[in-house]
């Protein structure tokens, strides 16, 4: 029996070139040309101003929650149909996740359900600190409706686009709708760096702060000085090299996946027609 993987890594061939450059320059560190280049190329690809590449998508969500100052007494509204990593960072901060139901078109967060939840929360004087909207399996949630509702209540949106890098919603790249977007480059994603993630935003100050928090929050002093708690979340220059090579083939991978999906849908229709003609 041969094992069939759900979504196995698929290298472009150029990853080694970027890794070799890092070796040649001896930048085997969580900074260097590949980190800077990957951040720039990822931002350009998504038409968003800034990106910070980090060790995982989970770390990116955690940083977004830190930037939004989520505290233990806060609630964070989250999509109910998702992978646990969407919610774990809420628990890292001791805050309470509140699960918002899905709608049948996209299987993602229902704009109607989030509106009801926000109405109730406002009435109770307990609006959430943030809403984390997931785009599951590359399928965008109804972002325009969700953003409109959240804006009405002044609640920031974190778009968990861990699974939707490369897809678009109404002509705009997935992950660029909320105040923050996050991507994952885990081994099972559309492109992978073996493990990694990114936080994106149009707000430069926030992304600079994210980089600071992701590198142990070291104050700008000649000695080691830390005024707040930081994390060791930065992506390494080697890993970022894999990301640069993978980004070059992202559109190709998205098109291939779309093609497989069309073939599977067609096959399903044929099987359905065959089985109803046999019955
Ligand atoms: C929806 C979703 N959110 C968050 C994550 C977390 O990403 P990572 O595994 O890079 O931490 C994943 C993937 O694993 C995911 O599928």
């Amino acid at each position: 029996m041969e094992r069939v993987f759900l979504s196995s890594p698929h290298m472009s061939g150029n990853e080694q070139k970027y890794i070799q450059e890092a070796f040649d320059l001896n930048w085997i560190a969580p900074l260097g040309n590949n980190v800077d280049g990957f951040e720039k190329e990822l931002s350009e690809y998504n038409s968003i101003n800034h990106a910070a590449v980090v060790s995982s998508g989970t770390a990116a969500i955690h940083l977004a929650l830190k930037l939004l100052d989520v505290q233990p007494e806060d609630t964070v509204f989250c999509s109910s149909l998702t992978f646990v990593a969407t919610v774990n960072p809420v628990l890292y901060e001791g805050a309470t996740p509140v699960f918002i139901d899905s709608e049948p078109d996209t299987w993602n967060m229902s704009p109607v359900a989030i509106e009801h939840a926000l109405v109730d929360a406002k009435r109770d004087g307990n609006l959430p600190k943030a809403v984390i909207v997931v785009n599951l399996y590359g399928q965008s949630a109804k972002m325009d409706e969700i953003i409109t509702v959240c804006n009405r209540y002044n609640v920031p949106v974190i778009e968990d686009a861990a699974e939707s890098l490369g897809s678009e919603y109404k002509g705009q790249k997935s992950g660029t709708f909320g105040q923050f977007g996050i991507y994952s480059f885990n081994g099972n994603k559309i492109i992978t760096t073996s493990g990694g993630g990114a936080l994106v935003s149009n707000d430069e100050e926030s992304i600079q702060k994210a980089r600071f928090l992701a590198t142990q929050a070291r104050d700008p002093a000649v000695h080691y000085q830390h005024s707040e708690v930081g994390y060791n979340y930065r992506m390494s220059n080697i890993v970022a090299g894999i990301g640069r090579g993978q980004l070059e083939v992202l559109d190709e991978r998205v098109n291939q996946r779309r093609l497989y999906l069309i073939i599977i849908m067609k096959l399903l229709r044929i099987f359905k027609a065959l089985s109803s003609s046999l019955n």
Side-chain angles (χ1 to χ4, degrees):
M1 287 275 280
E2 199 192 327
R3 191 167 174 187
V4 177
F5 291 101
L6 171 71
S7 177
S8 53
H10 187 176
M11 295 294 110
S12 71
N14 274 343
E15 292 81 4
Q16 298 273 7
K17 179 189 83 183
Y18 293 109
I19 294 171
Q20 191 58 49
E21 274 170 24
F23 272 75
D24 291 344
L25 295 168
N26 203 28
W27 277 108
I28 319 294
L31 76 172
N33 283 359
N34 285 334
V35 171
D36 297 345
F38 191 28
E39 288 181 342
K40 185 169 170 284
E41 289 149 16
L42 189 67
S43 316
E44 280 168 3
Y45 177 86
N46 289 300
S47 303
I48 194 153
N49 291 345
H50 305 283
V53 289
V54 290
S55 54
S56 67
T58 312
I61 297 172
H62 190 200
L63 290 170
L65 295 175
K66 295 298 295 180
L67 292 166
L68 293 172
D69 194 32
V70 170
Q71 298 290 323
E73 65 273 14
D74 291 326
T75 56
V76 176
F77 288 1
C78 306
S79 299
S80 55
L81 184 63
T82 185
F83 180 56
V84 69
T86 304
V87 176
N88 275 339
V90 178
L91 301 175
Y92 298 167
E93 291 307 306
T96 306
V98 174
F99 293 99
I100 307 297
D101 216 343
S102 298
E103 48 84 22
D105 295 343
T106 66
W107 299 6
N108 290 314
M109 185 182 282
S110 158
V112 176
I114 181 85
E115 176 143 39
H116 284 162
L118 287 168
V119 167
D120 289 354
K122 170 115 183 164
R123 183 200 57 215
D124 299 342
N126 189 25
L127 278 170
K129 204 62 169 283
V131 173
I132 310 180
V133 186
V134 178
N135 304 315
L136 210 65
Y137 305 125
Q139 168 68 55
S140 180
K142 293 178 175 171
M143 288 312 297
D144 51 357
E145 293 173 52
I146 292 171
I147 296 280
T148 304
V149 173
C150 291
N151 283 348
R152 202 176 300 143
Y153 291 86
N154 255 327
V155 179
V157 170
I158 301 167
E159 195 182 356
D160 179 347
E163 300 184 9
S164 59
L165 175 64
S167 63
E168 290 181 358
Y169 175 76
K170 299 191 176 176
Q172 188 177 329
K173 286 280 190 260
S174 192
T176 63
F177 287 84
Q179 191 156 328
F180 295 107
I182 76 97
Y183 301 114
S184 167
F185 310 114
N186 200 350
N188 63 356
K189 297 299 184 281
I190 188 88
I191 59 167
T192 182
T193 59
S194 77
L199 178 73
V200 295
S201 176
N202 280 318
D203 180 26
E204 184 174 13
E205 210 179 304
S206 294
I207 294 298
Q208 269 171 2
K209 179 85 196 266
R211 292 190 189 117
F212 167 76
L213 291 174
T215 46
Q216 306 284 22
R218 186 177 171 187
D219 292 341
V222 282
H223 52 281
Y224 282 103
Q225 180 178 306
H226 303 265
S227 311
E228 58 183 301
V229 174
Y231 304 88
N232 190 2
Y233 278 169
R234 206 70 166 113
M235 182 179 276
S236 93
N237 202 37
I238 303 297
V239 166
I242 306 177
R244 294 183 83 181
Q246 286 275 279
L247 200 58
E248 290 174 4
V249 289
L250 174 56
D251 283 337
E252 205 179 295
R253 300 287 185 263
V254 171
N255 289 335
Q256 281 165 336
R257 198 163 283 193
R258 284 206 178 111
L259 193 68
Y260 293 145
L261 217 86
I262 291 166
I263 294 169
I264 289 166
M265 296 301 282
K266 283 200 170 142
L267 283 174
L268 277 174
R269 257 182 237 129
I270 293 168
F271 284 134
K272 221 170 151 191
L274 275 175
S275 69
S276 61
S277 70
L278 288 174
N279 286 335

